[in-house]
Amino acid sequence: VQLNNVKMSMNPFCEIAVEEAIRLKEAATKAKQDTAEVVVVSIGPKQCSETIRTALAMGADRGIHIETKADVRGDYIDMQPWGIATLLRGVVEKEDGVDLVILGKQSIDSDCGQTGPLLAGFLNAPQATFASRVERDDDGAYTVERETDTGTETIKLNPTNQPAVITCDLRLNVPRYPTMPNIMKAKKKPVQIISLEDMVKELGLNLDDVLTPKNEVVEVYEPPSRKEGEMVASVEELLGKLKEKGFAA
């Protein structure tokens, strides 16, 4: 796939996470609670700066771009969830007063859904995945309604000395469209750019450990083609076909 001159867009689940972070900040401001700040983080090549600016135009306050070289692939080939979560842990530990890390539940290239849970494990932090509703309580806890295979469940993430980690599902919200004035303002908001190599050195990590895949893609293949359907002229004929194939008694 040729990516030259292609405009990169934000992962849809991460866009939902940005929107929810901004809504939580707006709710805190409206309630005159502690001053909140939304910091967006992206790990990838130069094109990621466009994605960060989109988040800033939506309402985030500042960005951090861990820039990788052009030959480092982020689609599960080089940068896998283990390495990404390791770097995010470093960002969280460097920042002061982080009380919530909110991410998309999965990326839409590899669909792993592992980064959030891995980050929570590295931080020994409370977590909730597949969030469809998030509320911040007065005591600093987060009440999260999460999607499950059988419906939804509501859990409470009590405050600890580590930030809560929440991953967002599709039904959590509908992200806003940045307005032109906010797009212009986003150009003046601060974005810290640090190379992957410098970030790894600063955190005391090993570059090979971050980039060496923990899993290997053995094979990628198309699903088998579906058989052509049959047209029937009547309900009686349809029932006969179903009985013939054992789908009806």
Side-chain angles (χ1 to χ4, degrees), residues 11-37:
N11 177 51
F13 295 109
C14 292
E15 190 174 16
I16 291 168
V18 171
E19 173 66 27
E20 193 63 24
I22 295 167
R23 291 188 184 191
L24 289 169
K25 173 191 168 183
E26 292 170 343
T29 302
K30 187 176 180 181
K32 296 182 180 179
Q33 295 174 343
D34 296 337
T35 302
E37 181 186 36

Short mmCIF file of all heavy atoms in Angstrom, two decimals, residues 11-37:
data_model
loop_
_atom_site.label_atom_id
_atom_site.label_comp_id
_atom_site.label_asym_id
_atom_site.label_seq_id
_atom_site.Cartn_x
_atom_site.Cartn_y
_atom_site.Cartn_z
N ASN A 11 -7.47 7.05 14.68
CA ASN A 11 -8.18 5.80 14.91
C ASN A 11 -9.55 6.12 15.53
O ASN A 11 -9.63 6.87 16.51
CB ASN A 11 -7.37 4.93 15.88
CG ASN A 11 -8.05 3.65 16.24
OD1 ASN A 11 -8.50 2.90 15.39
ND2 ASN A 11 -8.15 3.37 17.54
N PRO A 12 -10.66 5.62 14.96
CA PRO A 12 -12.00 6.02 15.43
C PRO A 12 -12.22 5.83 16.93
O PRO A 12 -12.82 6.68 17.58
CB PRO A 12 -12.94 5.12 14.62
CG PRO A 12 -12.16 4.78 13.39
CD PRO A 12 -10.73 4.71 13.81
N PHE A 13 -11.73 4.74 17.49
CA PHE A 13 -11.92 4.51 18.93
C PHE A 13 -11.11 5.50 19.76
O PHE A 13 -11.53 5.92 20.84
CB PHE A 13 -11.56 3.07 19.30
CG PHE A 13 -12.47 2.05 18.68
CD1 PHE A 13 -12.02 1.23 17.66
CD2 PHE A 13 -13.78 1.91 19.10
CE1 PHE A 13 -12.86 0.28 17.07
CE2 PHE A 13 -14.63 0.96 18.52
CZ PHE A 13 -14.17 0.16 17.50
N CYS A 14 -9.93 5.88 19.26
CA CYS A 14 -9.12 6.88 19.96
C CYS A 14 -9.77 8.26 19.85
O CYS A 14 -9.66 9.07 20.78
CB CYS A 14 -7.71 6.91 19.39
SG CYS A 14 -6.77 5.41 19.74
N GLU A 15 -10.43 8.52 18.73
CA GLU A 15 -11.15 9.79 18.58
C GLU A 15 -12.27 9.89 19.62
O GLU A 15 -12.51 10.95 20.21
CB GLU A 15 -11.73 9.89 17.17
CG GLU A 15 -12.28 11.25 16.81
CD GLU A 15 -12.70 11.36 15.36
OE1 GLU A 15 -12.85 10.31 14.71
OE2 GLU A 15 -12.89 12.48 14.88
N ILE A 16 -12.94 8.78 19.87
CA ILE A 16 -13.97 8.73 20.91
C ILE A 16 -13.34 8.98 22.28
O ILE A 16 -13.92 9.68 23.13
CB ILE A 16 -14.70 7.37 20.87
CG1 ILE A 16 -15.55 7.26 19.59
CG2 ILE A 16 -15.57 7.16 22.10
CD1 ILE A 16 -16.08 5.86 19.31
N ALA A 17 -12.14 8.45 22.51
CA ALA A 17 -11.45 8.66 23.78
C ALA A 17 -11.09 10.14 23.96
O ALA A 17 -11.24 10.69 25.07
CB ALA A 17 -10.18 7.80 23.83
N VAL A 18 -10.63 10.79 22.90
CA VAL A 18 -10.31 12.22 22.98
C VAL A 18 -11.57 13.02 23.32
O VAL A 18 -11.56 13.90 24.18
CB VAL A 18 -9.69 12.71 21.65
CG1 VAL A 18 -9.56 14.24 21.65
CG2 VAL A 18 -8.33 12.07 21.43
N GLU A 19 -12.67 12.69 22.63
CA GLU A 19 -13.92 13.39 22.88
C GLU A 19 -14.36 13.23 24.34
O GLU A 19 -14.78 14.20 24.99
CB GLU A 19 -15.01 12.86 21.94
CG GLU A 19 -16.41 13.38 22.21
CD GLU A 19 -16.58 14.86 21.97
OE1 GLU A 19 -15.82 15.43 21.15
OE2 GLU A 19 -17.45 15.47 22.61
N GLU A 20 -14.25 12.02 24.87
CA GLU A 20 -14.68 11.79 26.25
C GLU A 20 -13.79 12.53 27.24
O GLU A 20 -14.28 13.07 28.24
CB GLU A 20 -14.68 10.29 26.55
CG GLU A 20 -15.41 9.91 27.83
CD GLU A 20 -16.89 10.25 27.80
OE1 GLU A 20 -17.46 10.35 26.69
OE2 GLU A 20 -17.48 10.40 28.90
N ALA A 21 -12.49 12.57 26.96
CA ALA A 21 -11.58 13.32 27.84
C ALA A 21 -11.95 14.79 27.86
O ALA A 21 -11.97 15.43 28.92
CB ALA A 21 -10.14 13.13 27.36
N ILE A 22 -12.28 15.34 26.69
CA ILE A 22 -12.66 16.76 26.62
C ILE A 22 -13.98 16.99 27.35
O ILE A 22 -14.14 17.99 28.05
CB ILE A 22 -12.75 17.20 25.14
CG1 ILE A 22 -11.37 17.13 24.49
CG2 ILE A 22 -13.32 18.61 25.02
CD1 ILE A 22 -11.39 17.25 22.99
N ARG A 23 -14.93 16.07 27.22
CA ARG A 23 -16.21 16.21 27.93
C ARG A 23 -16.01 16.17 29.44
O ARG A 23 -16.66 16.92 30.18
CB ARG A 23 -17.18 15.11 27.49
CG ARG A 23 -17.65 15.25 26.05
CD ARG A 23 -18.75 14.26 25.74
NE ARG A 23 -19.15 14.31 24.33
CZ ARG A 23 -20.21 13.71 23.82
NH1 ARG A 23 -20.99 12.97 24.61
NH2 ARG A 23 -20.50 13.79 22.53
N LEU A 24 -15.13 15.29 29.91
CA LEU A 24 -14.85 15.22 31.34
C LEU A 24 -14.21 16.52 31.83
O LEU A 24 -14.52 17.01 32.91
CB LEU A 24 -13.94 14.03 31.64
CG LEU A 24 -14.59 12.64 31.50
CD1 LEU A 24 -13.52 11.55 31.56
CD2 LEU A 24 -15.62 12.40 32.61
N LYS A 25 -13.33 17.07 31.01
CA LYS A 25 -12.71 18.36 31.36
C LYS A 25 -13.76 19.47 31.41
O LYS A 25 -13.76 20.29 32.34
CB LYS A 25 -11.63 18.70 30.32
CG LYS A 25 -11.03 20.08 30.49
CD LYS A 25 -10.19 20.45 29.29
CE LYS A 25 -9.83 21.93 29.33
NZ LYS A 25 -9.08 22.35 28.15
N GLU A 26 -14.63 19.50 30.41
CA GLU A 26 -15.68 20.53 30.38
C GLU A 26 -16.62 20.41 31.57
O GLU A 26 -17.05 21.42 32.15
CB GLU A 26 -16.45 20.43 29.06
CG GLU A 26 -15.62 20.84 27.85
CD GLU A 26 -16.31 20.53 26.53
OE1 GLU A 26 -17.28 19.72 26.52
OE2 GLU A 26 -15.87 21.06 25.49
N ALA A 27 -16.94 19.16 31.95
CA ALA A 27 -17.82 18.95 33.11
C ALA A 27 -17.14 19.42 34.39
O ALA A 27 -17.78 20.01 35.27
CB ALA A 27 -18.18 17.47 33.22
N ALA A 28 -15.83 19.17 34.51
CA ALA A 28 -15.10 19.61 35.70
C ALA A 28 -15.04 21.13 35.77
O ALA A 28 -15.18 21.73 36.84
CB ALA A 28 -13.68 19.03 35.69
N THR A 29 -14.85 21.76 34.60
CA THR A 29 -14.81 23.23 34.56
C THR A 29 -16.16 23.82 34.94
O THR A 29 -16.24 24.79 35.70
CB THR A 29 -14.40 23.71 33.15
OG1 THR A 29 -13.13 23.15 32.81
CG2 THR A 29 -14.32 25.22 33.10
N LYS A 30 -17.22 23.21 34.42
CA LYS A 30 -18.57 23.70 34.70
C LYS A 30 -18.90 23.56 36.18
O LYS A 30 -19.57 24.42 36.78
CB LYS A 30 -19.58 22.93 33.86
CG LYS A 30 -21.00 23.46 33.94
CD LYS A 30 -21.92 22.70 33.00
CE LYS A 30 -23.34 23.24 33.08
NZ LYS A 30 -24.27 22.49 32.17
N ALA A 31 -18.43 22.48 36.79
CA ALA A 31 -18.70 22.24 38.21
C ALA A 31 -17.72 22.97 39.12
O ALA A 31 -17.79 22.85 40.34
CB ALA A 31 -18.66 20.75 38.50
N LYS A 32 -16.78 23.70 38.48
CA LYS A 32 -15.76 24.46 39.21
C LYS A 32 -14.95 23.55 40.12
O LYS A 32 -14.62 23.89 41.26
CB LYS A 32 -16.40 25.59 40.01
CG LYS A 32 -17.08 26.64 39.14
CD LYS A 32 -17.66 27.77 39.96
CE LYS A 32 -18.33 28.80 39.04
NZ LYS A 32 -18.93 29.93 39.80
N GLN A 33 -14.64 22.35 39.59
CA GLN A 33 -13.78 21.43 40.32
C GLN A 33 -12.32 21.74 39.97
O GLN A 33 -12.01 22.79 39.43
CB GLN A 33 -14.15 19.99 39.97
CG GLN A 33 -15.55 19.59 40.43
CD GLN A 33 -15.95 18.21 39.94
OE1 GLN A 33 -15.35 17.67 39.03
NE2 GLN A 33 -16.99 17.67 40.54
N ASP A 34 -11.43 20.80 40.26
CA ASP A 34 -10.01 21.02 39.96
C ASP A 34 -9.81 21.32 38.48
O ASP A 34 -10.51 20.79 37.62
CB ASP A 34 -9.21 19.77 40.34
CG ASP A 34 -9.26 19.50 41.84
OD1 ASP A 34 -9.53 20.45 42.59
OD2 ASP A 34 -9.05 18.34 42.23
N THR A 35 -8.83 22.17 38.19
CA THR A 35 -8.50 22.49 36.80
C THR A 35 -8.00 21.25 36.10
O THR A 35 -7.07 20.57 36.56
CB THR A 35 -7.42 23.58 36.75
OG1 THR A 35 -7.88 24.73 37.44
CG2 THR A 35 -7.12 23.95 35.30
N ALA A 36 -8.63 20.90 34.98
CA ALA A 36 -8.27 19.69 34.24
C ALA A 36 -7.49 20.06 32.98
O ALA A 36 -7.67 21.14 32.41
CB ALA A 36 -9.52 18.91 33.88
N GLU A 37 -6.62 19.16 32.56
CA GLU A 37 -5.85 19.34 31.34
C GLU A 37 -5.91 18.05 30.55
O GLU A 37 -5.76 16.96 31.10
CB GLU A 37 -4.40 19.69 31.67
CG GLU A 37 -3.54 19.92 30.44
CD GLU A 37 -2.06 20.11 30.77
OE1 GLU A 37 -1.58 19.45 31.71
OE2 GLU A 37 -1.39 20.91 30.09
#
